[in-house]
Amino acid sequence: MAETDASKKRKPNWHKEECLLLAELVKERKTVIEGRFGPGVTSANRHEAWQKITNTLNANGHQQRSKEEVIKKWKNLKSAGKSVYSTFKNSTTATGGGPPPTPISPVTAAVVDCIGRDNTVLTGIGPMSMDSSFIQLLQRVRAIIGITINISISLHISLHISYFLSSFGKREVVTGN
């Protein structure tokens, strides 16, 4: 009975230094860890990279962690970093009064740097970007009315869509009736 109680004991929380080191180590191996599988990125390469990160963290002198714990911690850091950075970014661009936004922590900053500050996961789709649903709408309009539409990133696209929607009715364009 004592053996089961000892095996269920929680490990200590991660130190800020461990989290910063984890973000730095992941950034060094970002293409293998976060990249798509292909000739240069295999499952074996990914497991090897995580094992090297785990060995480096364990050699640092803090609590001994398993590879699975390190992977889980990185996923949690990444998720929390996205959320905190999104909130921070929204509050810095907001208009009006109020208290200044809470600055992001060094750990969050390291995670965001690893992800890439220009990554659409953090920035969202900007005003000059096209969403796939917008492209699908353009293709649907072309199929319904038989006119080819030049898909380019310019201000003229919105004028073309406005023209099509006003000329043929929004219901006809969207539903195909």
Side-chain angles (χ1 to χ4, degrees), residues 45-63:
N45 291 359
R46 192 167 283 174
H47 288 294
E48 181 182 333
W50 278 117
Q51 191 59 53
K52 287 180 180 178
I53 289 171
T54 303
N55 293 342
T56 305
L57 282 169
N58 288 336
N60 198 29
H62 291 289
Q63 179 68 32

Side-chain angles (χ1 to χ4, degrees), residues 56-71:
T56 305
L57 282 169
N58 288 336
N60 198 29
H62 291 289
Q63 179 68 32
Q64 294 294 306
R65 312 281 183 186
S66 70
K67 183 175 74 169
E68 290 74 24
E69 290 172 326
V70 172
I71 293 170

Side-chain angles (χ1 to χ4, degrees), residues 84 87-89 91-92 99-105:
V84 169
T87 302
F88 174 77
K89 188 175 175 204
S91 64
T92 57
T102 306
I104 58 176
S105 71

Side-chain angles (χ1 to χ4, degrees), residues 14-32:
W14 285 66
H15 292 94
K16 182 172 70 171
E17 295 81 18
E18 285 181 294
C19 294
L20 288 170
L21 180 60
L22 175 59
E24 181 183 318
L25 294 171
V26 168
K27 188 174 183 179
E28 291 173 4
R29 295 168 177 83
K30 181 180 175 180
T31 55
V32 175

Side-chain angles (χ1 to χ4, degrees), residues 52-142:
K52 287 180 180 178
I53 289 171
T54 303
N55 293 342
T56 305
L57 282 169
N58 288 336
N60 198 29
H62 291 289
Q63 179 68 32
Q64 294 294 306
R65 312 281 183 186
S66 70
K67 183 175 74 169
E68 290 74 24
E69 290 172 326
V70 172
I71 293 170
K72 176 75 171 166
K73 183 63 177 181
W74 174 246
K75 288 180 180 181
N76 291 343
L77 282 174
K78 205 166 57 164
S79 177
K82 290 175 192 177
S83 175
V84 169
Y85 186 74
S86 175
T87 302
F88 174 77
K89 188 175 175 204
N90 287 341
S91 64
T92 57
T93 58
T95 59
T102 306
I104 58 176
S105 71
V107 173
T108 301
V111 170
V112 168
D113 286 341
C114 184
I115 295 171
R117 291 185 187 268
D118 59 340
N119 192 323
T120 54
V121 168
L122 296 174
T123 61
I125 297 176
M128 295 306 286
S129 300
M130 275 198 267
D131 187 12
S132 62
S133 59
F134 183 69
I135 293 172
Q136 290 171 353
L137 175 64
L138 289 174
Q139 291 170 342
R140 186 85 185 247
V141 168
R142 184 181 72 206

